[in-house]
Amino acid sequence: MLLAAAGSVPAQAGPGDDDKALYAQCRKAAQELADKYRQVENALFDIACERPDGTVADPKLWWPAAPTRPAPTRPITAGQAGCVAGTGRPVVGTTLTSVSATAGPGEAITYQYQQLDGSETINTSGTEILEFGPGDLAPGRSYRWRARADDTQERARNPLSFSDPNDEQAWTSWCEFTVSPDAIDYRGLGDVSLEALNELGLRPDRRYAVELTGRQQRLLRAGTDVKRTDARMTMTGPRWTDLLLQLIESALIADEVAAEADEDDPTAPDGAPYRRLVDAISVKLGGPHHPQFS
């Protein structure tokens, strides 16, 4: 019998041992692994107990199952209490929405959600509220979610206790919602700061045209990664936001270089031209005169 665990070496049991002895050896090896890495933050384990023929033993046979916790209560979808499925599901006006359920004292909540078209189920845990971020949801699509509770004290005492994800009694019912087709689509945001995009008043799913002078084009090429410029440039909201953030960074670098220059050298450039270009482009985009990008 083999114990296969992430980061461990499989342990071979004697050929004459019966199942009871083999399961005991699996429990012992798994516990030693958990004790070794108990103080390691965010340590994850994937443990299986295999028979000599390669079949995997049911975890409930060799490791004690954690007690089933009552399902969380009071589900809320985008501020609407209750759990609805079918044609009466609520329509949400933004992809940046949230869902939640309430667990008992000392219990953590695990959430699952997926598109109604049968896409992959996403698991998430560690927060009381499941908040959907940019790119998690798409306009015009329908989703469902559910939640289950885990005993944090039991998990601390026995981090290797087996929790059966297929135990339907531990889960709430599936709750559904639809994202409005005209909601802002944040899937194209990428690594750009959502706060900076919102400060400029831009949408990630739209393109914006800006007229630039020759000098502004030269500054834009010098202070960003843009390769080619034109008098009229049309780019997406995230791309303009990224370029303005690059200009701010170039301004900070220029300020540092100027501060370190010889005080007798009045020609040492600072970051003022870059900051003026940021202000000018922000106004052309319909944003504030002096964006702070805080």
Side-chain angles (χ1 to χ4, degrees):
M1 181 174 219
L2 296 175
L3 173 70
S8 68
V9 177
Q12 181 73 46
D17 293 343
D18 58 17
D19 272 356
K20 183 176 180 180
L22 297 179
Y23 293 161
Q25 182 178 3
C26 285
R27 287 193 297 270
K28 181 174 182 291
Q31 189 63 61
E32 290 174 351
L33 183 67
D35 292 342
K36 179 179 180 180
Y37 294 100
R38 185 180 297 273
Q39 303 303 320
V40 178
E41 188 175 355
N42 297 323
L44 299 176
F45 299 94
D46 186 12
I47 300 174
C49 193
E50 296 183 359
R51 299 183 179 89
D53 61 4
T55 59
V56 178
D58 186 336
K60 288 180 285 189
L61 296 176
W62 67 276
W63 195 259
T68 299
R69 311 299 302 177
T73 59
R74 298 196 292 275
I76 299 176
T77 301
Q80 179 172 317
C83 186
V84 180
T87 57
R89 68 179 71 95
V91 177
V92 180
T94 175
T95 59
L96 304 180
T97 188
S98 64
V99 300
S100 66
T102 302
E107 293 178 340
I109 293 185
T110 296
Y111 290 97
Q112 286 185 342
Y113 72 93
Q114 63 177 183
Q115 284 190 45
L116 290 187
D117 63 4
S119 298
E120 178 185 4
T121 299
I122 307 298
N123 292 275
T124 179
S125 61
T127 58
E128 295 181 2
I129 299 175
L130 172 56
E131 296 182 346
F132 297 102
D136 290 339
L137 307 177
R141 298 184 182 176
S142 296
Y143 299 84
R144 67 176 187 169
W145 69 275
R146 65 178 183 173
R148 65 172 292 164
D150 295 307
D151 191 328
T152 55
Q153 295 180 352
E154 171 64 23
R155 184 184 297 175
R157 290 193 301 269
N158 190 4
L160 290 176
S161 61
F162 169 73
S163 296
D164 186 359
N166 298 316
D167 184 0
E168 294 296 329
Q169 292 184 347
W171 291 97
T172 63
S173 301
W174 284 104
C175 308
E176 300 178 1
F177 65 94
T178 297
V179 179
S180 173
D182 59 359
I184 297 176
D185 191 349
Y186 288 98
R187 287 175 295 174
L189 185 63
D191 296 330
V192 173
S193 164
L194 177 61
E195 290 75 14
L197 183 85
N198 288 339
E199 184 175 351
L200 292 170
L202 304 180
R203 289 178 58 131
D205 52 356
R206 290 184 180 174
R207 296 173 65 84
Y208 300 84
V210 171
E211 299 281 350
L212 297 175
T213 66
R215 184 173 186 275
Q216 288 173 334
Q217 293 180 56
R218 290 191 293 273
L219 276 173
L220 187 64
R221 290 194 299 268
T224 69
D225 61 4
V226 70
K227 302 301 182 184
R228 179 177 177 274
T229 58
D230 295 294
R232 180 181 175 86
M233 299 187 65
T234 302
M235 292 182 288
T236 65
R239 181 53 172 161
W240 277 120
T241 304
D242 177 49
L243 291 179
L244 295 193
L245 290 171
Q246 290 185 50
L247 287 172
I248 291 294
E249 180 66 23
S250 294
L252 294 174
I253 294 174
D255 287 341
E256 293 176 357
V257 172
E260 295 174 357
D262 192 326
E263 295 181 358
D264 295 331
D265 181 9
T267 63
D270 60 15
Y274 290 129
R275 281 189 288 273
R276 286 194 293 268
L277 180 57
V278 169
D279 295 346
I281 294 178
S282 176
V283 171
K284 292 174 184 290
L285 290 168
H289 284 79
H290 304 291
Q292 300 300 311
F293 296 126
S294 57

